[in-house]
Amino acid sequence: MEPSTTDDLMIFPSREKYSDSRRLPFVALHDRLRRLTAAGECLLLVAGYSFSDQHVNDIFFGNLRANNRFSATVLLFDSLKKKEIEQNLVTPARGIRNLTVYAPDMALIGGVLAEWSRPTTKPPSGAKWPFWDEAAGKFALGNFSNLPTFLREFIGARSLITAAGAV
């Protein structure tokens, strides 16, 4: 069913947020997430989610633990050291090997938490790496403005566009 222009597609912070999230279309979306990640092979890319909604976290972490063929990659804008992120993502993720989390300051890969090191090689043709903020010395894919550039370069779209004569 297509949402109409008058449908609420986002739940804004309020006292009613919890009860609102238990209504359509949200309950249907939660059920769909649960079914898609519960069985079979699945790769989920998460970007722009704060991990502050416990009912979504329960589905996410529960299915990561129950289905080892479900993998998730999380791109965070905020630090893994931020109290809310540490409490809602890092602590529940301990021991989950099919979860990879990339934050500006650290990464959690295969259950191992470590700080980033600067890239040791230069990008091709003198460009800058789309995943690294050299000035800040931080991983940058959690920033929405960097992700499309990275994806275009990853699939080779830049060379396709250049070959077609457009830039």
Side-chain angles (χ1 to χ4, degrees), residues 75-76 102-106 116 131-133 137-142:
L75 303 174
L76 287 179
Y102 300 112
D105 55 342
M106 303 177 84
W116 287 106
F131 58 84
W132 188 259
D133 180 342
K138 294 186 176 190
F139 184 78
L141 280 188

Side-chain angles (χ1 to χ4, degrees), residues 28-167:
L29 293 171
H30 294 158
D31 186 54
R32 187 173 183 193
L33 175 65
R34 184 178 289 107
R35 283 183 287 122
L36 286 171
T37 59
E41 289 190 41
C42 177
L43 171 62
L44 181 66
L45 177 64
V46 179
Y49 177 55
S50 68
F51 287 86
S52 59
D53 292 312
Q54 194 56 45
H55 54 285
V56 176
N57 293 351
D58 289 343
I59 297 168
F60 183 75
F61 291 117
N63 284 354
L64 279 167
R65 285 186 184 92
N67 180 8
N68 64 359
R69 292 174 47 198
F70 165 38
S71 296
T73 298
V74 177
L75 303 174
L76 287 179
F77 181 80
D78 288 321
S79 166
L80 280 178
K81 295 176 186 174
K82 186 176 178 184
K83 183 180 178 184
E84 294 84 11
I85 297 293
E86 193 170 350
Q87 177 182 333
N88 296 327
L89 174 59
V90 176
T91 300
R94 294 201 194 278
I96 299 177
R97 298 174 104 16
N98 47 339
L99 172 64
T100 303
V101 181
Y102 300 112
D105 55 342
M106 303 177 84
L108 178 64
I109 302 171
V112 178
L113 184 64
E115 293 188 6
W116 287 106
S117 298
R118 292 182 181 274
T120 57
T121 60
K122 297 288 182 198
S125 67
K128 65 178 195 159
W129 290 119
F131 58 84
W132 188 259
D133 180 342
E134 189 62 43
K138 294 186 176 190
F139 184 78
L141 280 188
N143 183 333
F144 283 142
S145 63
N146 297 332
L147 184 57
T149 303
F150 172 77
L151 293 173
R152 274 195 306 274
E153 290 187 20
F154 181 75
I155 62 170
R158 176 175 281 179
S159 61
L160 291 174
I161 291 169
T162 305
V167 175

Side-chain angles (χ1 to χ4, degrees), residues 1 7-9 11 19-31:
M1 174 172 80
D7 286 340
D8 288 332
L9 298 177
I11 301 174
S19 61
D20 286 349
S21 71
R22 300 293 194 237
R23 293 190 209 151
L24 287 174
F26 306 106
V27 72
L29 293 171
H30 294 158
D31 186 54

